[in-house]
Amino acid sequence: MEGKEEDVKLGANKFSERQPIGTSAQSDSKDYKEPPPAPFFEPGELSSWSFYRAGIAEFIATFLFLYISVLTVMGVVKSPTKCGTVGIQGIAWAFGGMIFALVYCTAGISVSFSANPLCFPFYLFKFAEYVYMVLVKTGGHINPAVTWGLLLARKLSVTRALFYMVMQCLGAICGAGVVKGFMGKNQFNTLGGGANVVAHGYTKGDGLGAEIIGTFVLVYTVFSATDAKRSARDSHVPILAPLPIGFAVFLVHLATIPITGTGINPARSLGAAIIYNKKHAWDDHWVFWVGPFIGATLAALYHVIVIRAIPFKSRS
């Protein structure tokens, strides 16, 4: 046995590891540099076409998001038997799948890919880095809570954040309006209009807590999936950032649809509430603004202070 132990010891030490297991997260990548914080106010943005192009992208993306998601909800509610519909799981997939697709599409706003097909693998491996750049600078939020979280983390200016939120809300209103136009006013109102309300059997406090935690999961995933340090450290891995974001939306919907119908997106809740416009929807509406903004705030603080410890790094 002693001989075998010696062999094992020799074999373990003969060849050193290029990267010890478990230390990747603690080591700084050579090609990584902390992005500088965005200015509080950037007047030059107002004269830039990319600024308005990103706002238009937010409008269109949120419009399509509401159209598909609310129409899916309407189809499930309309059917007399849930076995004949996609059910709660299908609703969750509609929300999560659309976020995945729209973030993926919006990520191409300001990225110029090489025409040389030999460069494709390089761009595939660097896709996470591109998505990070686009998400924090040119759109792809599709959610005022996500925009708020990134604003707190100094990833975009107040001007851009406010513009995004306005365009997101307008897009959501138009998306829900198109669904109502397709279904007709009477049928749309009878089926609830896809509006978020706290379900019977739950208190407003329950709904608020569900929205806070659900939005925390979403925004924390956004920060993690678009972290520039992770993109640099794991550049050899083709990470597709929209996938974990969409999957987080899907999972949160599975958990909270029975409680609040799942908001975690103030624009989505506002668009449906305005088009539906019934008293009981407005009674609970504050939950779907306060909850997501608290959840996004906690996620931003957790990522910046605990996970990345950026304030402590700046002091050293």
Side-chain angles (χ1 to χ4, degrees), residues 6-208:
E6 186 66 24
D7 290 341
V8 171
K9 187 176 180 181
L10 261 173
N13 298 323
K14 188 174 181 180
F15 301 102
S16 60
E17 292 182 353
R18 295 180 62 189
Q19 176 65 60
I21 296 174
T23 62
S24 178
Q26 286 76 29
S27 63
D28 289 331
S29 177
K30 293 181 180 179
D31 60 348
Y32 169 72
K33 184 178 180 182
E34 190 73 52
F40 184 78
F41 176 67
E42 197 170 354
E45 287 185 317
L46 300 177
S47 59
S48 170
W49 166 238
S50 64
F51 176 79
Y52 297 100
R53 181 177 60 176
I56 294 170
E58 288 292 323
F59 174 88
I60 295 297
T62 315
F63 168 84
L64 295 174
F65 177 59
L66 264 287
Y67 170 74
I68 295 296
S69 58
V70 173
L71 204 55
T72 303
V73 172
M74 294 287 94
V76 172
V77 176
K78 180 180 179 181
S79 178
T81 168
K82 298 299 178 282
C83 294
T85 69
V86 295
I88 289 180
Q89 292 88 347
I91 293 175
W93 275 121
F95 279 89
M98 278 303 290
I99 289 296
F100 167 75
L102 292 170
V103 172
Y104 180 90
C105 292
T106 311
I109 291 178
S110 65
V111 180
S112 298
F113 290 95
S114 171
N116 185 352
L118 295 177
C119 293
F120 178 75
F122 170 78
Y123 287 112
L124 178 64
F125 296 148
K126 283 293 186 178
F127 191 80
E129 183 177 350
Y130 290 138
V131 172
Y132 164 79
M133 177 186 69
V134 176
L135 277 172
V136 302
K137 294 299 288 182
T138 62
H141 302 177
I142 323 172
N143 185 337
V146 172
T147 302
W148 172 251
L150 292 171
L151 172 64
L152 293 180
R154 300 291 304 278
K155 301 297 185 182
L156 70 167
S157 67
V158 173
T159 312
R160 186 175 288 266
L162 292 175
F163 183 49
Y164 281 7
M165 291 181 188
V166 170
M167 296 302 282
Q168 289 158 0
C169 290
L170 290 176
I173 294 169
C174 292
V178 170
V179 174
K180 184 175 181 179
F182 282 171
M183 301 197 69
K185 179 179 179 180
N186 293 334
Q187 183 172 222
F188 183 84
N189 291 338
T190 301
L191 299 177
N196 289 122
V197 296
V198 178
H200 294 295
Y202 294 96
T203 66
K204 286 182 173 59
D206 297 331
L208 181 64

Side-chain angles (χ1 to χ4, degrees), residues 258-271:
I259 304 174
T260 61
T262 309
I264 67 170
N265 184 336
R268 174 261 185 272
S269 300
L270 178 66

Side-chain angles (χ1 to χ4, degrees), residues 236-255:
H236 61 290
V237 181
I239 300 174
L240 192 60
L243 182 58
I245 297 172
F247 203 64
V249 173
F250 164 70
L251 293 174
V252 171
H253 274 76
L254 284 182

